[in-house]
Amino acid sequence: MRTTIHIILILVIGLVLGLGIRQIRKSERANGPGPGEEVFTDAGVDVDAVDPSDAENAAPSHPPEDEEWLSKFELTERSGKKVASEDLKGQPYVVSFFFSTCPSICVTQNQKLKELQDEFAGQGVRFVAISVDPETDTPEILREYAARFGADSEQWLFMTGDLGYIRRVGSEVFRMPVDKQFHTERFVLVDPKGEIEGFYNWPEKAQFNKLKEKIQEMISSSEKKAS
């Protein structure tokens, strides 16, 4: 019996002490921070008076001055021959990035390019597929890979080179983030002058159809100028 009473007394004492400490802390908060405490507040700042333009950066970014910013490129085609961006001028071309060991996205992407090749077979447009795993994708490997899609050797080019250089080609020439075995799901349409016309997200049907329309417009325009 005595043991039970002692336990109850201990519990009651603990409860009373806990309530007392809680009340003391509440009182301290009401009186404000204690000495040495850091307080972060916007008191005294007129938020409405802050001009959003003060946070804007009006200065445009520029390429580093200590290295050349790529505006053209040269890579090795699956045939083993060097192909430069200057060689591609004169007709529109569609650029894509891929790698041969990619099991899913790249396969679907190249099936889309196969669809474009079939639709524009023998017409004035090229397709330029650039590997983002060049250590694996040698010209020999690319020849085998291209054959899987029935890629025409003149119209559909498969390119490889140095990974560091391909990173720069992607970001500086085509404004696309690429890295080893990494690329976006976009096609870049380049006009006959070598200027980027637009970026097309090929999984989206509307954008893919728009790409077809734009290619046809460019082909028709080139044919009119030639006649």
Side-chain angles (χ1 to χ4, degrees), residues 192-211:
K193 295 180 180 179
E195 300 292 331
I196 293 175
E197 185 281 328
F199 304 88
Y200 296 82
N201 193 4
W202 58 261
E204 296 186 20
K205 187 176 180 180
Q207 289 197 35
F208 188 64
N209 289 335
K210 185 65 177 177
L211 172 61

Side-chain angles (χ1 to χ4, degrees), residues 91 118-126 155 216 219 223:
Q91 58 183 211
D118 291 346
E119 183 163 336
F120 296 102
Q123 300 185 54
V125 61
R126 282 182 170 178
Q155 191 173 29
Q216 187 59 63
I219 292 174
E223 289 175 348

Side-chain angles (χ1 to χ4, degrees), residues 69-70 74 77 85 99 149 158 164 176 178-179 183:
W69 189 264
L70 293 181
E74 182 180 78
E77 210 276 320
S85 50
F99 57 102
F149 299 95
F158 284 78
M176 298 270 280
V178 299
D179 206 340
H183 59 89

Side-chain angles (χ1 to χ4, degrees), residues 110-120 208 212:
N110 284 312
Q111 287 171 344
K112 287 292 186 180
L113 286 171
K114 168 65 172 171
E115 182 179 334
L116 292 175
Q117 178 189 248
D118 291 346
E119 183 163 336
F120 296 102
F208 188 64
K212 290 182 180 181

Side-chain angles (χ1 to χ4, degrees), residues 1-223:
M1 185 69 180
R2 288 183 179 177
T3 302
T4 303
I5 294 172
H6 287 162
I7 292 173
I8 292 172
L9 287 173
I10 291 171
L11 290 173
V12 170
I13 292 170
L15 180 61
V16 170
L17 287 173
L19 290 172
I21 292 171
R22 186 175 179 182
Q23 190 61 38
I24 291 171
R25 286 180 176 174
K26 281 185 178 180
S27 177
E28 287 177 346
R29 290 194 189 101
N31 294 330
E37 289 187 65
E38 292 187 22
V39 179
F40 300 91
T41 177
D42 60 359
V45 177
D46 185 355
V47 178
D48 294 331
V50 177
D51 188 346
S53 63
D54 292 340
E56 293 178 359
N57 183 4
S61 60
H62 296 283
E65 295 181 359
D66 60 346
E67 63 178 336
E68 183 181 357
W69 189 264
L70 293 181
S71 60
K72 54 188 178 181
F73 66 92
E74 182 180 78
L75 291 167
T76 303
E77 210 276 320
R78 68 182 182 276
S79 62
K81 296 179 180 178
K82 296 285 187 180
V83 176
S85 50
E86 297 298 308
D87 300 325
L88 300 172
K89 287 184 176 180
Q91 58 183 211
Y93 61 95
V94 178
V95 177
S96 62
F97 293 89
F98 80 104
F99 57 102
S100 66
T101 56
C102 172
S104 55
I105 298 299
C106 296
V107 174
T108 306
Q109 175 175 284
N110 284 312
Q111 287 171 344
K112 287 292 186 180
L113 286 171
K114 168 65 172 171
E115 182 179 334
L116 292 175
Q117 178 189 248
D118 291 346
E119 183 163 336
F120 296 102
Q123 300 185 54
V125 61
R126 282 182 170 178
F127 308 101
V128 180
I130 302 175
S131 171
V132 291
D133 186 10
E135 292 180 2
T136 299
D137 295 338
T138 62
E140 181 181 4
I141 293 295
L142 291 182
R143 285 195 293 272
E144 296 174 1
Y145 186 76
R148 290 170 51 185
F149 299 95
D152 182 273
S153 60
E154 295 297 324
Q155 191 173 29
W156 189 353
L157 310 180
F158 284 78
M159 316 277 269
T160 189
D162 174 74
L163 178 60
Y165 182 69
I166 288 173
R167 286 194 189 104
R168 293 190 63 192
V169 170
S171 62
E172 297 176 24
V173 178
F174 297 114
R175 307 171 198 172
M176 298 270 280
V178 299
D179 206 340
K180 184 172 183 178
Q181 298 188 351
F182 172 81
H183 59 89
T184 66
E185 296 179 358
R186 284 184 172 185
F187 291 150
V188 185
L189 178 58
V190 181
D191 69 20
K193 295 180 180 179
E195 300 292 331
I196 293 175
E197 185 281 328
F199 304 88
Y200 296 82
N201 193 4
W202 58 261
E204 296 186 20
K205 187 176 180 180
Q207 289 197 35
F208 188 64
N209 289 335
K210 185 65 177 177
L211 172 61
K212 290 182 180 181
E213 293 174 8
K214 204 66 184 179
I215 291 172
Q216 187 59 63
E217 284 179 20
M218 289 185 179
I219 292 174
S220 298
S221 178
S222 296
E223 289 175 348

